[in-house]
Amino acid sequence: MDEAIVRVMKRTDGRDKAFRVAQYTCVAARAFAPRRESGPAAELANVAAALGAAMSTTRKALRLARMLEEWQVIKASARRGRAGDPVVWVLTVLSAVSNALYYFFDHVEWWRRIGAARADSLLVRRASRWSSYAWLINAVCDSLLSTRALMRASAASARQGKG
């Protein structure tokens, strides 16, 4: 069990997931804390909010390299070309491009929040919206890729069952 945890934490995705669990635990603790002006419950809510914000910032820092990883997927797909299924190739490239754009715009929004970017810039003002659009395109492409893979697996299973 300990080896599995260490192996997961060595990966960027594993660290991000661990911090995401901690971040959303803080969000839940704050949401379910009784609403009071003072006292231990109010203090818990304030600590949970501060800790959740710190976890969010940590996750952003951990994901700085993810944009570059997505460009590696795009380059690898371009090198392979459309030798296989062209629909899968297009969806894979579109998914990777939209994911890379999501990370870029998400980081621009983060830079605005921490005061590292000028808030009056057009890019900074629209980064949150563009980040959401890129995330949506990525989610749709990934869903279509999964659906296509399930359909192929089902067809292969049906062919095997007839033979």
Side-chain angles (χ1 to χ4, degrees):
M1 177 72 172
D2 292 339
E3 290 176 17
I5 292 171
V6 169
R7 194 172 43 241
V8 167
M9 292 302 287
K10 282 185 177 180
R11 296 179 38 221
T12 304
D13 287 349
R15 288 187 299 266
D16 183 54
K17 287 177 183 172
F19 278 98
R20 184 184 321 155
V21 167
Q23 177 187 357
Y24 291 128
T25 300
C26 292
V27 169
R30 183 168 188 232
F32 293 115
R35 303 281 182 221
R36 297 203 177 112
E37 295 297 320
S38 62
E43 190 173 320
L44 173 66
N46 291 336
V47 168
L51 191 56
M55 293 293 147
S56 175
T57 299
T58 302
R59 287 183 61 218
K60 297 287 187 216
L62 289 173
R63 294 182 345 188
L64 279 171
R66 290 295 302 261
M67 187 171 36
L68 300 176
E69 291 172 8
E70 292 300 328
W71 289 116
Q72 294 301 321
V73 171
I74 295 164
K75 284 172 43 179
S77 295
R79 273 195 299 268
R80 276 194 307 268
R82 291 175 265 175
D85 186 351
V87 173
V88 170
W89 182 80
V90 167
L91 288 173
T92 300
V93 170
L94 188 57
S95 173
V97 168
S98 62
N99 209 23
L101 290 173
Y102 161 73
Y103 285 122
F104 173 75
F105 291 124
D106 193 46
H107 282 97
V108 169
E109 174 62 19
W110 174 55
W111 294 330
R112 181 200 58 79
R113 264 189 307 183
I114 65 172
R118 289 188 11 219
D120 60 346
S121 158
L122 177 66
L123 175 66
V124 172
R125 284 197 323 260
R126 295 193 177 164
S128 180
R129 181 181 310 154
W130 291 343
S131 173
S132 297
Y133 290 149
W135 179 88
L136 178 63
I137 292 168
N138 176 260
V140 169
C141 289
D142 285 350
S143 296
L144 291 172
L145 282 167
S146 295
T147 301
R148 190 157 177 99
L150 286 172
M151 289 171 51
R152 282 186 164 182
S154 177
S157 176
R159 281 193 302 271
Q160 250 183 351
K162 290 181 181 178

